[in-house]
Amino acid sequence: MKAETILGVVRSPLPTADWNSVESRLQSSRINYQTIDIDNLNSAEALRGLRVLFLPNVEVMTTDQIRILEQWVQQGGRLIASGTVGNRSTPLARERLRTLIGSYWAFPLSNPATPISQSDRCQDQICRNITEWAATVNTSGTVAGGVLIPATQESYTAGVWQGSSASAAAIATTQAIYLGWHWGRGESPEVDTAWLQAAINRYTGASSPPQSSVARQNHTIQPAPPRRLSESPTTIQTPLSSQIQGPGQLFKPPTS
């Protein structure tokens, strides 16, 4: 019997070599998934039947596409993002996306590093509930990442960069997980696979990787109603040492 496809993977206009690397890693991970071209993400029907949606290094999204994701999440869908997601989108789209995901990429690390679990540092039960899924990877493998900043009061640090004074490498909310590195592009497939599988397991209740073969399908979709935000995005450019925050704390930029 064919296993249920629970993961949708959005394909954006990445360079061919980058996308091939992402897809090769997905296939070797044995995760059952289907690819959705970002140009087909134009109504909620494209996500029908999916429980989890992965945005691997998707840098450009429109406000209409983000509205569709908002509607889908409100109906129970869950998001996983990686890399500089939305960084080349319009200011309004970036603001909506960071609110939806619960965090944003502030700046890149100077060197590749290893993401490690932060969940054991939680001081309250809410933090533990949101971050206990975090992967425990016994590896020295490194990935090219960046420092993430929480964007809401419901955002908790699930992973930190090893040796970086607790700079956030993964941030989670009740509805989304942001992995702060370019998934699929590095030389450490075990890091990519372990964190993605842990994120999927969080939303599906699974305790071990699925053993089904890879599945890819196509779908079509219906538009979602618009929603307005009143605030404009801000650009944060502060030293690494001033951007360290504990789980669940909203980052506040320094005043001039």
Side-chain angles (χ1 to χ4, degrees):
M1 180 181 295
K2 185 178 179 179
E4 176 189 12
T5 301
I6 58 171
L7 181 69
V9 180
V10 174
R11 175 174 183 171
S12 62
L14 292 171
T16 300
D18 285 350
W19 172 254
N20 288 345
S21 178
V22 168
E23 189 159 46
S24 174
R25 192 147 299 175
L26 283 167
Q27 292 174 349
S28 64
S29 71
R30 301 181 65 82
I31 293 170
N32 196 36
Y33 76 97
Q34 68 182 50
T35 301
I36 301 171
D37 193 283
I38 195 166
D39 291 336
N40 293 331
L41 190 59
N42 49 27
S43 71
E45 195 65 26
L47 304 177
R48 176 177 291 182
L50 294 176
R51 299 167 63 183
V52 187
L53 187 68
F54 182 32
L55 306 171
N57 320 322
V58 178
E59 294 190 335
V60 181
M61 297 192 74
T62 67
T63 53
D64 286 340
Q65 289 169 335
I66 295 168
R67 288 189 193 109
I68 291 165
L69 294 184
E70 290 168 345
Q71 181 190 43
W72 178 71
V73 166
Q74 289 169 0
Q75 295 171 349
R78 295 296 178 256
L79 291 169
I80 303 170
S82 71
T84 49
V85 62
N87 275 20
R88 293 173 54 207
S89 303
T90 65
L92 177 58
R94 288 200 304 271
E95 178 69 13
R96 296 184 71 137
L97 191 58
R98 69 174 55 175
T99 300
L100 180 63
I101 295 175
S103 54
Y104 62 96
W105 176 293
F107 57 89
L109 298 174
S110 56
N111 295 296
T114 302
I116 58 175
S117 173
Q118 165 79 1
S119 58
D120 58 350
R121 300 187 186 184
C122 285
Q123 300 300 311
D124 58 77
Q125 188 60 48
I126 295 176
C127 173
R128 287 191 287 272
N129 290 343
I130 292 178
T131 64
E132 63 183 359
W133 60 271
T136 302
V137 184
N138 295 321
T139 177
S140 59
T142 59
V143 289
V147 174
L148 303 183
I149 301 297
T152 74
Q153 293 288 0
E154 293 75 36
S155 303
Y156 289 83
T157 299
V160 297
W161 292 114
Q162 190 172 47
S164 67
S165 301
S167 300
I171 289 180
T173 68
T174 56
Q175 63 191 28
I177 292 170
Y178 192 172
L179 306 178
W181 62 91
H182 296 289
W183 198 95
R185 295 188 190 177
E187 299 300 322
S188 300
E190 69 278 8
V191 173
D192 280 349
T193 301
W195 279 86
L196 179 61
Q197 187 66 68
I200 294 170
N201 290 350
R202 177 198 179 190
Y203 295 132
T204 63
S207 58
S208 60
Q211 297 300 312
S212 56
S213 59
V214 174
R216 286 168 287 178
Q217 304 168 17
N218 294 315
H219 291 278
T220 56
I221 57 183
Q222 268 179 22
R227 192 174 66 182
R228 296 183 180 178
L229 290 178
S230 58
E231 297 182 356
S232 299
T234 56
T235 300
I236 305 299
Q237 293 182 345
T238 58
L240 175 61
S241 61
S242 68
Q243 298 194 33
I244 307 307
Q245 68 289 321
Q249 294 179 331
L250 181 63
F251 174 77
K252 296 182 179 179
T255 56
S256 55

